[in-house]
Each structure stands twice: as C-alpha cells, then as structure tokens.
Amino acid sequence: MSSQETPRRPTIADVAREAGVATSTASVVFSGKANVAAATRERVLAAAAELGYAGPDPRAASLRRGRSGIVAVVLEGHLRAAFLDPVSTAMMDGLTDGLADLSAGILLMRDEPGDEGSAITNAPVDAFVLIGCSARTRASLEVVLGRGLPVVVIEGDAGEGVPRITLDNVAASADVARHVRDLGHTDVALVTLPLDTDRERAPVTPERVENATVDVTVHRLAGLRQIFPDAPAISASGSLIDEGVLVGRMLLADPATRPTAVIAQSDLLAVGVIRAAEELGLRVPEDLSVAGFDGIEVDGLGDHTLTTSVQPAVEKGRAAGEQVARMLRGEAGVTQDLTCRFRAGTTTGPVPR
Amino acid sequence: MSSQETPRRPTIADVAREAGVATSTASVVFSGKANVAAATRERVLAAAAELGYAGPDPRAASLRRGRSGIVAVVLEGHLRAAFLDPVSTAMMDGLTDGLADLSAGILLMRDEPGDEGSAITNAPVDAFVLIGCSARTRASLEVVLGRGLPVVVIEGDAGEGVPRITLDNVAASADVARHVRDLGHTDVALVTLPLDTDRERAPVTPERVENATVDVTVHRLAGLRQIFPDAPAISASGSLIDEGVLVGRMLLADPATRPTAVIAQSDLLAVGVIRAAEELGLRVPEDLSVAGFDGIEVDGLGDHTLTTSVQPAVEKGRAAGEQVARMLRGEAGVTQDLTCRFRAGTTTGPVPR
DNA sequence: AGAGCTTATCGAATCGATTCGACCCGAGGG
DNA sequence: CCCTCGGGTCGAATCGATTCGATAAGCTCT
C-alpha cells in the first residue's frame, strides 16, 4: 500500500496481517492441508498478491517440514564425464522417473576430495544416491551415513544396511565371454574400464586388480576370466570411444600378437576398438571379433550391431529412485539385483582360419 | 552413553549441553566464524562425536543464513536431452567453475508445464540460471522473478533487468555462410535447430519462423539468410547426429534437387548430414560441402575437421556462474555477449564442376 | 595499579514457516 | 431445549541453527 521502500520480502505473517487472519490460516491457504472458507482464501490470496508474496520460503518450509524435496546424486569424476556416458544419462532418466511422485529435484554433486565443507556435508537434501564405487565414493558414504540420511548405492557395495542396486556383472560378462569362446576363439584380449581413480591406461596385472577400487570393473573382469582365465587385459582410462581407439591400437598394432577377439567392458570402448581395427585395415568380424557391454545405442557403427550384454540402465535409475522414495516414506530400502541380457550382434564371428 | 533409544537426531544444542558450553559457542566451532579456544573446541568436538552429531542441519542453517548454497539450472526438455548435447555439458562444466567460489551445488530442473507445486516455485535455491528460451522458459521466468531471486539467462532474452549471456549467433552464422559462398556455392541448403517446442522435422516456412520460440534457431537462421536469403531450410527435431542423418537424407536423396553445400546449425547435425552423404556415396567435401556450428569435438568424423564456428561453450557457463556469484554478493548482474570464432575445416571445399 | 585492548564465551533474538490442540459457532439429533 | 459434532480459525510452540551485542577474563603499557 505505502510506497515506502520495503526493505525485505514479505513473509506469510505480513500476508496474514494484511488479510486479517492468523498466520496459521494463511499458511494453510498455501499448503492446502486443511479446509479454509472460500471467502477467507480469497482474502489471503488477494493480500498476497497485494504484497507481492510469492509463496512460502522453501528454506523455512523445509526446516519445519524436515524435508527439502531434493535428492543428491553423487557421481565420481567430473560431471561432464558422467554425462558423456550414455549409461549414466539413461540412469538419470530412470532416476527422475523413480522419484517422480516425490516431485523431488536432483542435486548433482561430485564426491569431492576435501571432506570438510564439502557439498556432501552441507547440502540440504533428503537422501543420497551414490553412483559407482571408488575409494572416494566410499569416503563420501561415511559422511552421508553420518548425516543419517537414506542412501541408495548404484553399482557398488556400501556394506550392511545400505540398499544397493546392482547388476549381475559377473554372470553377464561370462555370458559374453562364453559366446566368444563358443565361436572358437582362444586368443582373446580384454579391455577393461578404469580400475581405480588413477585411471591409468595400462596392462592389467594381478596386483593392479588386487588394489582396484572400482567394483564394476573387477566384477566384469572376474566374469570374463571365468571363461578366459589367462586373457591379457588393458585398462582404459575411461568409457569413451576415443579410449577404445587408443587401447585398440595397443592391442592390434602388432600382427604377431594380435588376438582374434577383443572383449571390452563397455560398448563405447568396443566401438573404439572396432574403429582402431578399421584403421588397421582389419574387417570386423571377419578378421577380428569385438564384443562390448551395456547395450546402448551407439552412433557410427555403420550396419553393425554390437555383440554385447544389454544392461537395464534406465531401470537401474528407476529402481534407485523408487528405493529412495520408499525410504523417505519410512519403509526399509531393499537391495535389488537387476539382470543383463546377452545380445548377439554382427561384430563377432568365427575364428579366422 | 546410555543405550536408551534416542528418538531424534542430536542438535547443536544437545552437543553444547554435553560439552558444557553455550549453543552459540558450539555453533562457532562448526562454522569457524570466530575464535574458539583450542581446549573448548576439543570438548565440543568430543561431545559431537559422543552424540553422533554430524554437523549443523543444512536446512536450519540455510534458513538462518538466507542462503542454501544451491543454484538451480533450468533446462527445457528432458534432462537427458540436455546431456546428450556436448554444448550443454561443456556449459555445465563452466558453470560449476564459475560458481566455484560459492561452492554451490547445481540443481537441475526442467521447466515443468504445471505452474503450481512445481519444483521451480518450491526449491530452496539461491539463484536461477535459465538455459535456452522457449515459451515455457519464459513462463518459468515469471515464477522465478516473482520469487525475487537472482536470475541469469543463457541464450535467451528475458527482458530488462535480467542479465543475459549470449552469443553473436547472427554474425557467427553469417561468417560460416560467407565462407561457403566464397567457395562459390550458390545452391545451399540449411539445417536448423528446432524452431519451437513442437520440434517438428519439416521444411522451414516463413510462418514457422514467425511463430518460432527458440531464439538461438531464429538468430542463426537470420545470419545464414543474410548471405543466402533464399536457401531452403529444414528444421531438425533436436541437435543429434541421428537427426542430422534423417534431415540429410531428405535433402540429398534426390540428385536433381541436391544442393552443393549444406550448412547445419549445430555440429552434431552437420556430422549427421555428412554421414547421410556418405551413405549415398557422396564424398565430402568433393561432392558436398558441409558446415556446422558449435566447434565441439565430435567422435567418428574420421580425418575430417568440421568447418564450423567455435562457440565458447565452457566460457558461457562460467560467465553465467560468475554473474550469479556477483548478484549473490549484491552487485548488479551484467549482460555479456560472447563471440564465436570461425574455423575453416576440411568438410567444405569448392563447388564441384 | 588502573586504563585500554584483545580474546573467549554467553544469552537472547531471529530466520519464516508449519502444525497441533484449543476454541467458537452454527447445524443436526435426541 | 440441550447436547454433540465438525468445519473454520486462532495462538503458540517448534524446527535447528546463526549472529550480534554484552560480559568477563587476561594482558600490555605506563
């Protein structure tokens, strides 16, 4: 009303006073948690409009309610990297779905090295979804559990009491390897995901496996090694086509030591290997069989369909979202093991004679 | 100490009592905003450990502080789509950089159709970054402004008083077109980004341009049309390689009407067009010149370097972040116009004779 | 030793909303 | 005609921490 400058934004108390009702009544008008006479509602709304009140302050509301409506998703590494991976994006999609009825927002954060002052300790969130499982993620887990918030871990082991969403990585990898073996291949090379946060691109040695911190990598490797116990392996520094090309060149450069089949732990890596093979004039699958893992749609494969194990990426995210929703309702979270489905493609074939 | 069940999480008051200090002192121990004797700090920390107190509740802190440490990023469309676009991800990267000294988290949200109860009205955030500019984004803008929070708009016009981060899309597009014209091309086709939220893949007509709601598309088109006023154009339904392939097929299928050059409004689309050309047995750039926009790294282009205009995507995000940081410090936000840099690649060449 | 400081700690107000029990009043039932 | 029931509204407590001004204690300097 007065054109004096109003130093601060109006509060619900201001609105209530203007409308001549109690603040509790005004509050109820906005939250709709109780019956309010139509006339009263009108007056409150009018007063709000008058004062330029844009609704309850979410900060205050979340304090009182004990809920902020935000779920944190903690990924390792640069945010950008996470989203270059189609599996991650598919998962995020599923996650938003799974959280839909909470109408919760998703707060992305990386697991920062610095424990103190980290976003993980300070963010006003209701629950956490941890993705992947590096040593760093484990450290983050401590912090999160300390805050007493619900946690769901995707693709990682968080210890007792923390629900997980996992894949049958071992069995699915073994399926892929078995398919390759059944085609007659014995001279097989493996391309693994990063073993640890160092992400070194280098041959995989027993001691490196011993010290590996990324469970997915280790599990898939175990599955592959069930079939090919002695296959040489090189770890890539990330799940990228370009990485696959680099590793592919390492594996295929020397005709003398060239394997007849390469199994990669991700489709992107597999595509890279195929590209490296093409560079070297090798035909796939006539000269070289290549298999991947994930079952994503990959651009640029020509007419090929990648032989791979299709993981339920969207489903993974959705499951995580649903567990979070459950836990926020006070029910116990449940660990879910999702299964991959083997898909024979056109990138694998019989051993060249 | 007692193994009685403690119904609720300890508060800072509990810790203070246990340590025998005032809550204000305990608070200061955690925030570090004032000097505390080492001995006192120890006692408080010990008490906290004893009680399992994991630090101040961020909800309460954000109420009191008036800051939640979260910045909302509003994108249009599915979150997933945003992350399939390398430009978006680069921008997000820059944004996190720009916000670094705020140590703020980023809350992703879509501009939901439903105004009420939307995340946009209820999220406890300190500021907003709006990306793109559809009609929906404009609607979101209203809500945000109503909340009186700082807003920065990337690639869109938000009206007076709202700082923008923009590109010289018109001039940069004209540069690309000029390069193509200087190579002698007169028979040029354009591939545009979506014109509106319908994202229809269809020939661009004057009335469609008239009703277009996506500023970027319109501006880039204007730049291209400065040089090629009559060039036919087809709008893609998104910035994706696959879309480029589809549109490319439409443009190139009929040898009779086939242009000698195609200018796409994004690199991904350009790559798609190149792929479509290769499908049809056309050589690039001998038979067909293709240019893009964005200057991203694209996988799978072989030895080609795309002719394009390189936009400062990371810088765009960083600039937005910095403006947000400024506004939160109470200074006025400043509109920034960033410029693209033309890059001649190997995908454009002289007109085939 | 007293004036003038700095340092450590305390109390109390405050941030802005939500929510629960109490209260009022008119309508319906016995 | 009295009593009960329930819709509508109000007061006041509460959520958990931050912060500012006040107070007390310890020191230096003359």
Side-chain angles (χ1 to χ4, degrees):
Chain A
M1 186 73 80
S2 82
S3 53
Q4 294 296 92
E5 64 163 349
T6 28
R8 70 191 199 310
R9 303 195 53 70
T11 72
I12 201 170
D14 298 326
V15 172
R17 194 176 321 115
E18 176 83 11
V21 300
T23 65
S24 45
T25 305
S27 172
V28 159
V29 167
F30 287 101
S31 72
K33 299 231 174 193
N35 295 341
V36 179
T40 313
R41 186 198 336 282
E42 286 309 313
R43 251 183 324 142
V44 172
L45 259 25
E50 172 88 11
L51 297 175
Y53 178 76
D57 181 331
R59 284 180 280 259
S62 69
L63 170 58
R64 181 64 236 232
R65 283 220 177 92
R67 288 285 163 79
S68 65
I70 297 184
V71 174
V73 177
V74 181
L75 341 111
E76 52 176 335
H78 233 2
L79 294 189
R80 181 179 195 170
F83 283 110
L84 285 180
D85 179 12
V87 175
S88 296
T89 59
M91 216 165 52
M92 299 298 281
D93 243 25
L95 192 56
T96 51
D97 266 21
L99 292 172
D101 35 325
L102 283 181
S103 75
I106 292 188
L107 181 61
L108 293 183
M109 42 176 81
R110 343 175 11 192
D111 43 354
E112 300 283 346
D115 318 22
E116 299 303 321
S118 141
I120 293 184
T121 58
N122 297 325
V125 300
D126 295 338
F128 279 86
V129 176
L130 300 190
I131 297 180
C133 197
S134 65
R136 287 220 308 250
T137 306
R138 290 218 178 85
S140 305
L141 182 66
E142 297 297 311
V143 179
V144 172
L145 288 177
R147 284 182 60 179
L149 297 174
V151 192
V152 175
V153 173
I154 298 184
E155 295 265 30
D157 184 356
E160 69 314 329
V162 178
R164 301 184 291 284
I165 310 294
T166 58
L167 295 180
D168 56 341
N169 279 309
V170 177
S173 294
D175 285 347
V176 175
R178 203 170 291 118
H179 163 84
V180 171
R181 187 197 55 193
D182 290 351
L183 286 167
H185 295 270
T186 54
D187 197 2
V188 175
L190 312 177
V191 181
T192 78
L193 294 167
L195 289 164
D196 47 41
T197 44
D198 291 346
R199 306 177 149 258
E200 195 187 355
R201 184 186 316 120
V204 174
T205 61
E207 55 270 21
R208 287 189 69 207
V209 174
E210 195 61 34
N211 296 321
T213 55
V214 183
D215 288 356
V216 180
T217 308
V218 174
H219 292 162
R220 292 190 188 170
L221 183 59
L224 297 173
R225 284 271 164 85
Q226 281 181 10
I227 311 298
F228 297 111
D230 305 316
I234 294 184
S235 65
S237 73
S239 183
L240 298 168
I241 294 183
D242 293 337
E243 267 298 307
V245 173
L246 293 175
V247 176
R249 285 181 191 145
M250 293 170 67
L251 287 171
L252 306 173
D254 182 0
T257 63
R258 193 178 284 163
T260 63
V262 174
I263 307 179
Q265 287 190 341
S266 86
D267 283 357
L268 291 179
L269 288 172
V271 170
V273 171
I274 292 175
R275 203 160 283 165
E278 286 170 348
E279 275 178 17
L280 293 166
L282 299 173
R283 292 162 306 158
V284 173
E286 291 81 358
D287 302 322
L288 180 76
S289 286
V290 179
F293 199 109
D294 286 342
I296 59 174
E297 304 294 322
V298 196
D299 252 357
L301 256 185
D303 316 319
H304 278 135
T305 310
L306 196 59
T307 294
T308 194
S309 182
V310 183
Q311 69 153 294
V314 175
E315 196 45 52
K316 229 164 50 169
R318 189 194 329 274
E322 283 165 2
Q323 290 314 312
V324 166
R326 285 193 52 152
M327 294 171 79
L328 287 178
R329 282 197 304 271
E331 305 165 39
V334 176
T335 290
Q336 290 191 14
D337 277 294
L338 304 176
T339 58
C340 305
R341 185 174 46 75
F342 176 75
R343 181 185 76 195
T346 59
T347 58
T348 46
V351 185
R353 272 164 294 115
Chain B
M1 186 76 79
S2 84
S3 52
Q4 295 294 92
E5 64 163 350
T6 26
R8 71 194 198 308
R9 302 194 55 69
T11 73
I12 202 171
D14 299 325
V15 173
R17 195 176 322 114
E18 176 84 9
V21 300
T23 66
S24 45
T25 304
S27 172
V28 160
V29 166
F30 287 101
S31 71
K33 298 233 178 193
N35 295 342
V36 179
T40 313
R41 186 198 338 280
E42 285 309 311
R43 251 184 323 145
V44 171
L45 260 24
E50 173 90 8
L51 298 175
Y53 178 76
D57 182 331
R59 285 180 279 261
S62 70
L63 168 58
R64 182 63 236 240
R65 284 222 177 91
R67 288 284 164 77
S68 65
I70 297 183
V71 174
V73 177
V74 182
L75 336 114
E76 52 176 337
H78 228 4
L79 294 190
R80 181 180 194 167
F83 282 109
L84 287 181
D85 179 11
V87 175
S88 296
T89 58
M91 216 164 53
M92 300 298 272
D93 246 22
L95 192 56
T96 51
D97 267 19
L99 292 172
D101 34 324
L102 283 179
S103 76
I106 291 188
L107 181 59
L108 293 182
M109 43 176 78
R110 342 176 9 189
D111 43 354
E112 299 284 346
D115 318 27
E116 299 302 324
S118 142
I120 293 184
T121 58
N122 296 326
V125 299
D126 296 337
F128 279 85
V129 175
L130 301 189
I131 296 179
C133 197
S134 65
R136 287 219 310 248
T137 304
R138 291 219 178 82
S140 306
L141 183 65
E142 298 295 312
V143 179
V144 172
L145 288 178
R147 283 183 60 179
L149 296 175
V151 192
V152 175
V153 173
I154 298 183
E155 295 264 29
D157 186 356
E160 69 312 332
V162 177
R164 300 185 292 284
I165 310 294
T166 58
L167 293 180
D168 57 339
N169 280 309
V170 177
S173 294
D175 286 346
V176 176
R178 203 169 294 117
H179 164 85
V180 170
R181 185 197 58 193
D182 291 350
L183 285 167
H185 295 271
T186 53
D187 197 359
V188 175
L190 313 178
V191 181
T192 77
L193 294 167
L195 290 163
D196 47 40
T197 44
D198 290 347
R199 309 179 145 255
E200 195 187 355
R201 182 186 317 119
V204 174
T205 60
E207 55 269 21
R208 286 189 69 208
V209 175
E210 194 61 36
N211 297 322
T213 54
V214 184
D215 289 354
V216 180
T217 308
V218 175
H219 292 163
R220 292 191 188 169
L221 183 57
L224 297 174
R225 284 270 163 84
Q226 280 179 12
I227 311 297
F228 298 111
D230 305 317
I234 294 183
S235 64
S237 74
S239 182
L240 297 169
I241 294 184
D242 293 338
E243 267 299 306
V245 172
L246 293 174
V247 176
R249 286 183 191 140
M250 293 170 68
L251 287 171
L252 305 173
D254 182 358
T257 63
R258 190 179 288 163
T260 65
V262 174
I263 306 180
Q265 286 190 342
S266 86
D267 283 356
L268 291 179
L269 288 171
V271 171
V273 171
I274 292 175
R275 203 159 283 166
E278 287 171 348
E279 276 178 16
L280 294 166
L282 298 173
R283 290 163 307 158
V284 174
E286 290 80 0
D287 301 324
L288 179 75
S289 286
V290 179
F293 198 108
D294 285 343
I296 59 173
E297 303 294 322
V298 197
D299 249 357
L301 253 185
D303 314 319
H304 277 135
T305 310
L306 197 58
T307 294
T308 194
S309 183
V310 183
Q311 69 154 294
V314 175
E315 195 46 51
K316 228 163 53 168
R318 190 196 324 276
E322 283 165 2
Q323 290 314 311
V324 166
R326 285 192 53 150
M327 295 171 80
L328 287 178
R329 282 198 303 269
E331 305 165 37
V334 176
T335 290
Q336 291 191 15
D337 276 296
L338 303 177
T339 58
C340 304
R341 183 176 46 77
F342 176 74
R343 181 185 76 196
T346 60
T347 58
T348 46
V351 185
R353 271 162 301 114

Coordinates of all heavy atoms in Angstrom, one line a residue, chain A residues 21-22 24-25 35-37 40 63-64, chain D residues 7-16:
Chain A
V21 N -6.1 -12.3 9.1 CA -6.3 -13.7 9.6 C -5.0 -14.1 10.4 O -4.0 -13.3 10.4 CB -6.5 -14.7 8.5 CG1 -7.7 -14.3 7.7 CG2 -5.2 -14.8 7.6
A22 N -5.1 -15.2 11.0 CA -3.9 -15.7 11.7 C -2.9 -16.3 10.7 O -3.3 -16.7 9.6 CB -4.3 -16.8 12.7
S24 N -1.4 -18.9 10.9 CA -1.6 -20.4 10.6 C -2.7 -20.5 9.5 O -2.5 -21.4 8.7 CB -2.1 -21.0 11.9 OG -3.1 -20.2 12.5
T25 N -3.6 -19.7 9.5 CA -4.7 -19.8 8.5 C -4.0 -19.5 7.1 O -4.3 -20.2 6.1 CB -5.8 -18.8 8.7 OG1 -6.3 -19.0 10.0 CG2 -6.9 -18.9 7.7
N35 N -9.2 -27.3 5.6 CA -10.2 -26.6 4.9 C -10.2 -25.1 5.3 O -10.0 -24.8 6.5 CB -11.6 -27.2 5.3 CG -11.7 -28.6 4.8 OD1 -11.0 -29.0 3.9 ND2 -12.7 -29.3 5.5
V36 N -10.4 -24.3 4.3 CA -10.5 -22.9 4.5 C -11.7 -22.4 3.8 O -12.0 -22.9 2.7 CB -9.2 -22.2 4.0 CG1 -9.3 -20.7 4.2 CG2 -8.0 -22.7 4.6
A37 N -12.4 -21.5 4.4 CA -13.6 -21.0 3.8 C -13.2 -20.3 2.5 O -12.1 -19.6 2.5 CB -14.4 -20.1 4.7
T40 N -12.3 -16.6 2.9 CA -11.0 -16.4 3.6 C -9.9 -16.6 2.6 O -9.0 -15.8 2.5 CB -10.9 -17.4 4.8 OG1 -12.1 -17.4 5.5 CG2 -9.7 -16.9 5.6
L63 N 12.8 -26.5 6.7 CA 13.3 -26.7 8.1 C 12.1 -27.3 8.9 O 12.3 -28.3 9.6 CB 13.7 -25.4 8.7 CG 13.9 -25.4 10.2 CD1 15.0 -26.4 10.6 CD2 14.3 -24.0 10.8
R64 N 11.0 -26.7 8.8 CA 9.9 -27.1 9.6 C 9.4 -28.5 9.2 O 9.2 -29.4 10.0 CB 8.7 -26.1 9.5 CG 7.5 -26.4 10.3 CD 7.8 -26.3 11.7 NE 7.5 -27.5 12.3 CZ 6.7 -27.6 13.4 NH1 6.3 -26.6 14.0 NH2 6.4 -28.8 13.9
Chain D
dG7 P -15.8 -31.7 9.1 OP1 -16.3 -32.8 8.3 OP2 -14.5 -31.7 9.8 O5' -15.9 -30.3 8.3 C5' -17.2 -29.7 8.0 C4' -17.1 -28.2 8.2 O4' -17.1 -27.9 9.6 C3' -15.8 -27.6 7.6 O3' -16.2 -26.4 7.0 C2' -14.9 -27.4 8.8 C1' -15.9 -27.1 9.9 N9 -15.4 -27.5 11.2 C8 -14.9 -28.7 11.6 N7 -14.6 -28.7 12.8 C5 -15.0 -27.5 13.4 C6 -14.9 -27.0 14.7 O6 -14.5 -27.5 15.7 N1 -15.4 -25.7 14.7 C2 -15.9 -25.0 13.7 N2 -16.4 -23.8 13.9 N3 -16.0 -25.5 12.4 C4 -15.5 -26.7 12.4
dG8 P -15.2 -25.6 6.1 OP1 -15.9 -24.8 5.1 OP2 -14.1 -26.5 5.8 O5' -14.6 -24.5 7.2 C5' -15.5 -23.4 7.6 C4' -14.7 -22.6 8.6 O4' -14.5 -23.3 9.8 C3' -13.4 -22.1 8.1 O3' -13.4 -20.6 8.3 C2' -12.4 -22.8 9.0 C1' -13.2 -23.0 10.3 N9 -12.8 -24.1 11.1 C8 -12.5 -25.4 10.8 N7 -12.1 -26.1 11.8 C5 -12.2 -25.3 12.9 C6 -12.0 -25.6 14.3 O6 -11.6 -26.6 14.8 N1 -12.2 -24.4 15.0 C2 -12.6 -23.2 14.6 N2 -12.8 -22.3 15.5 N3 -12.8 -22.9 13.3 C4 -12.6 -24.0 12.5
dT9 P -12.2 -19.8 7.8 OP1 -12.7 -18.5 7.2 OP2 -11.3 -20.6 6.9 O5' -11.4 -19.5 9.1 C5' -12.1 -18.9 10.2 C4' -11.3 -18.8 11.4 O4' -11.1 -20.1 12.0 C3' -9.9 -18.2 11.3 O3' -9.8 -17.0 12.0 C2' -9.0 -19.3 11.9 C1' -9.9 -20.1 12.7 N1 -9.6 -21.6 12.8 C2 -9.4 -22.1 14.1 O2 -9.4 -21.5 15.1 N3 -9.1 -23.5 14.1 C4 -8.9 -24.3 13.0 O4 -8.7 -25.5 13.1 C5 -9.2 -23.7 11.7 C7 -9.1 -24.5 10.5 C6 -9.5 -22.4 11.7
dC10 P -8.5 -16.1 11.9 OP1 -8.9 -14.7 12.0 OP2 -7.6 -16.6 10.9 O5' -7.9 -16.5 13.4 C5' -8.8 -16.5 14.5 C4' -8.0 -17.0 15.7 O4' -7.9 -18.5 15.6 C3' -6.6 -16.5 15.9 O3' -6.5 -16.0 17.2 C2' -5.7 -17.7 15.6 C1' -6.6 -18.8 16.0 N1 -6.3 -20.1 15.3 C2 -6.0 -21.3 16.1 O2 -6.0 -21.2 17.3 N3 -5.8 -22.4 15.4 C4 -5.8 -22.5 14.1 N4 -5.6 -23.6 13.5 C5 -6.1 -21.3 13.3 C6 -6.3 -20.2 14.0
dG11 P -5.5 -14.9 17.6 OP1 -6.2 -13.7 18.2 OP2 -4.6 -14.6 16.4 O5' -4.6 -15.6 18.7 C5' -4.6 -17.0 18.8 C4' -4.0 -17.5 20.0 O4' -3.7 -18.8 19.8 C3' -2.6 -16.8 20.3 O3' -2.4 -17.0 21.7 C2' -1.7 -17.6 19.4 C1' -2.3 -19.0 19.4 N9 -2.4 -19.6 18.0 C8 -2.5 -18.9 16.8 N7 -2.5 -19.7 15.8 C5 -2.4 -21.0 16.3 C6 -2.3 -22.3 15.7 O6 -2.4 -22.6 14.5 N1 -2.2 -23.3 16.7 C2 -2.1 -23.1 18.0 N2 -2.0 -24.2 18.8 N3 -2.2 -21.9 18.6 C4 -2.3 -20.9 17.7
dA12 P -1.0 -16.6 22.3 OP1 -1.2 -16.3 23.8 OP2 -0.3 -15.5 21.5 O5' -0.1 -17.9 22.2 C5' -0.7 -19.2 22.5 C4' 0.3 -20.3 22.4 O4' 0.3 -20.8 21.1 C3' 1.7 -19.8 22.7 O3' 2.4 -20.9 23.3 C2' 2.3 -19.5 21.3 C1' 1.6 -20.6 20.5 N9 1.4 -20.3 19.1 C8 1.3 -19.1 18.5 N7 1.2 -19.2 17.2 C5 1.2 -20.5 16.9 C6 1.0 -21.2 15.7 N6 0.9 -20.7 14.5 N1 1.1 -22.6 15.8 C2 1.3 -23.2 17.0 N3 1.4 -22.6 18.2 C4 1.3 -21.2 18.0
dA13 P 3.9 -20.7 23.8 OP1 3.8 -20.6 25.3 OP2 4.6 -19.6 23.1 O5' 4.5 -22.1 23.4 C5' 3.7 -23.2 23.4 C4' 4.3 -24.3 22.4 O4' 4.0 -23.9 21.1 C3' 5.8 -24.4 22.5 O3' 6.1 -25.8 22.4 C2' 6.3 -23.6 21.3 C1' 5.2 -23.9 20.3 N9 5.0 -22.8 19.3 C8 5.1 -21.5 19.5 N7 5.0 -20.8 18.4 C5 4.8 -21.8 17.4 C6 4.5 -21.7 16.0 N6 4.4 -20.5 15.3 N1 4.4 -22.9 15.3 C2 4.4 -24.0 16.0 N3 4.7 -24.2 17.3 C4 4.8 -23.0 18.0
dT14 P 7.5 -26.3 22.6 OP1 7.5 -27.7 23.1 OP2 8.3 -25.2 23.2 O5' 8.0 -26.4 21.0 C5' 7.2 -27.2 20.2 C4' 7.8 -27.3 18.8 O4' 7.5 -26.1 18.0 C3' 9.4 -27.3 18.8 O3' 9.8 -28.4 18.1 C2' 9.8 -26.0 18.2 C1' 8.6 -25.6 17.3 N1 8.4 -24.2 17.1 C2 8.0 -23.8 15.8 O2 7.8 -24.6 14.9 N3 7.8 -22.5 15.6 C4 8.0 -21.5 16.6 O4 7.8 -20.3 16.3 C5 8.3 -22.0 17.9 C7 8.5 -21.0 19.0 C6 8.5 -23.3 18.1
dC15 P 11.3 -29.0 18.3 OP1 11.2 -30.2 19.0 OP2 12.1 -27.9 18.9 O5' 11.8 -29.2 16.8 C5' 10.9 -29.4 15.7 C4' 11.6 -28.9 14.5 O4' 11.0 -27.6 14.2 C3' 13.1 -28.7 14.7 O3' 13.8 -29.8 14.1 C2' 13.4 -27.4 13.9 C1' 12.0 -26.8 13.6 N1 11.8 -25.4 14.1 C2 11.3 -24.5 13.2 O2 11.0 -24.8 12.0 N3 11.1 -23.2 13.6 C4 11.4 -22.9 14.9 N4 11.2 -21.6 15.3 C5 11.9 -23.8 15.8 C6 12.1 -25.1 15.3
dG16 P 14.9 -30.5 15.0 OP1 15.2 -31.8 14.3 OP2 14.5 -30.4 16.4 O5' 16.2 -29.5 14.7 C5' 16.7 -29.4 13.5 C4' 17.7 -28.2 13.4 O4' 17.0 -27.0 13.7 C3' 18.8 -28.3 14.5 O3' 20.0 -28.3 13.9 C2' 18.6 -27.0 15.3 C1' 17.8 -26.1 14.3 N9 16.9 -25.2 15.0 C8 16.2 -25.3 16.1 N7 15.5 -24.2 16.4 C5 15.8 -23.3 15.4 C6 15.3 -22.0 15.2 O6 14.5 -21.4 15.9 N1 15.8 -21.5 14.0 C2 16.7 -22.1 13.2 N2 17.0 -21.4 12.1 N3 17.1 -23.3 13.4 C4 16.6 -23.9 14.5

